[in-house]
Amino acid sequence: MPSSPEIDLDALQERLESALPEGAKINGVEREEVAFGLVALYPTVIVPDDSGGTETVEESFTDVEGVESVGVENVGRI
């Protein structure tokens, strides 16, 4: 979730991609209007099985400028 409606979502998406831990990659991003002009980004992130789960990605995204909150919606295996 971006910290405000004024955030440049394209720039935020680039910062998220740059912040990913080694071996992880974004495989698409959906955008959904939440309320009052605020648009949430829903990236699909692929991580290797040996990375231990979603925690490293969540921590990396939390540290990105312009990110208000991070949550995992779904976890699966490919």
Side-chain angles (χ1 to χ4, degrees):
M1 183 71 63
S3 57
S4 79
E6 289 81 31
I7 294 289
D8 179 346
L9 295 177
D10 292 329
L12 179 57
Q13 185 174 330
E14 288 177 16
R15 290 194 299 273
L16 291 173
E17 290 173 2
S18 297
L20 285 170
E22 189 172 329
K25 67 178 182 176
I26 291 180
N27 188 35
V29 178
E30 293 182 28
R31 297 178 183 200
E32 183 178 312
E33 189 167 335
V34 180
F36 307 109
L38 187 61
V39 177
L41 295 178
Y42 290 96
T44 299
V45 180
I46 298 175
V47 295
D49 284 339
D50 62 351
S51 68
T54 63
E55 293 83 15
T56 56
V57 173
E58 292 175 75
E59 291 170 3
S60 297
F61 282 0
T62 300
D63 294 336
V64 171
E65 179 185 345
V67 172
E68 177 68 27
S69 63
V70 175
V72 175
E73 294 280 323
N74 192 0
V75 177
R77 294 192 70 189
I78 298 179

